[in-house]
Amino acid sequence: MFGDHAIPAEVQAFNAAQAERFGHLPSLWEMGIEQARSGGVMPSPPSAHNAYDLSAGDVALHVVPHASPRAVVLHIHGGGFILGGAAKQDPMLEAIAIGLGVTCASIEYRLAPENPYPAAWDDCEAAASWLVENAAEHFGASRLLIMGESAGALLAVSTLVRLRARGLADRFAGAALSFGVYDSGMTPSQRLAETGVLKGRDITRIADSYAPGIDRRDPDVSPLYADLLGLPPALFTVGTLDAMLDDSMFMYGRWLAAGNRAELALYPGADHAFIETPHPSAKSANARIQSFLSECLEQA
């Protein structure tokens, strides 16, 4: 699973092409945050034809609707807490909305470094709380799911832990958590990352941006150290070349140890954020995410 021999030939070819295409690009810090946000790192994909924005109390949601949803998915985007936006994953959310029969609501949380911890955390908790109270009335479905990628996966776990303290975590039937960063103090795979999309030196600077002067192992900032008792079933998706490999493997183990249901989906040769690219393993990974969330709804 982890050796070079486990990486399919088509994945090796894809990785080589990606390295040739993007290997020369400057880092986020060399490019500058503003240029990176304007499309230098994460260009915006086309919008879903029926997507719209909604005010949810003090926060905004970008909604990709389904005409007759059986649930609402709270989506939390990635981007290192610095980049990305609620409206920048519409193709993925539209595929989930159609394939799973759900309405997707992506939270527009505040970004660092302008808005460091706990801004994004508070926004995501507020969005989740709003959905608990209003999803049935606004979207026609009361059942809830949560999903997040990278920084969004961290925020998803912290949101569930916060909700559990208020007796609300059980309102979410399942969680799809992809290549999350669960230890802001950095796991070994983060520290040792020298190739690929994320490198250890860059991850350190990202954490300095979103959690300046914060205890990096505070359970809210690093949910790997949180009490995970009583959380919903979760699928952890990660590639073997991802700097966040340890994070997903460790969190998967802790999820099980807390008595929760968990699955770990490993993809040989996949790097960070691969499910949002034409990576050869993306189709099967996304299909498994949809299948897992569907099963969670059926068993809820």
Side-chain angles (χ1 to χ4, degrees), residues 61 63-64 69-75 100-106 130-131 134-136 138-147 171-174 297:
L61 295 174
V63 180
V64 179
R70 56 175 177 151
V72 178
V73 178
L74 173 59
H75 173 257
L100 197 54
V102 298
T103 286
C104 296
S106 189
W130 187 90
L131 287 175
N134 298 286
H138 280 264
F139 303 118
S142 60
R143 292 191 295 176
L144 301 172
L145 299 163
I146 191 168
M147 64 181 296
R171 290 294 305 275
F172 286 80
L297 288 176

Side-chain angles (χ1 to χ4, degrees), residues 11-12 23 43 56 58 102 141 152 176 222 225 230 258 287 297 299:
V11 173
Q12 294 185 32
D58 294 330
V102 298
S222 294
Y225 302 95
L297 288 176
Q299 295 180 353

Side-chain angles (χ1 to χ4, degrees), residues 92-104:
M92 180 180 71
L93 297 184
E94 189 171 32
I96 291 170
I98 295 171
L100 197 54
V102 298
T103 286
C104 296

Side-chain angles (χ1 to χ4, degrees), residues 9 142 187 190 215 251:
S142 60
T187 55
Q190 291 187 47
D215 177 3
M251 184 61 91

Side-chain angles (χ1 to χ4, degrees), residues 234-285:
L235 169 64
F236 297 92
T237 297
V238 71
T240 61
L241 298 186
D242 198 322
M244 302 302 168
L245 174 63
D246 285 350
D247 294 64
S248 288
M249 294 184 68
F250 295 171
M251 184 61 91
Y252 164 70
R254 291 220 59 235
W255 212 268
L256 289 175
N260 307 311
R261 179 186 159 208
E263 295 182 15
L264 176 65
L266 291 171
Y267 294 89
D271 202 343
H272 200 65
F274 76 99
I275 64 172
E276 300 172 56
T277 74
H279 191 282
S281 298
K283 184 176 181 179
S284 60

Side-chain angles (χ1 to χ4, degrees), residues 18 22 25-45 78-80 82-84 88 197-198 206 272-273 276-277:
Q18 291 293 96
F22 299 111
L25 294 179
S27 70
L28 166 64
W29 313 109
E30 295 168 333
M31 181 180 300
I33 291 175
E34 290 307 317
Q35 182 179 346
R37 286 176 178 169
S38 65
V41 172
M42 300 175 68
S44 297
I82 297 172
L83 307 176
K88 294 189 174 183
V197 175
L198 289 173
I206 290 171
H272 200 65
E276 300 172 56
T277 74

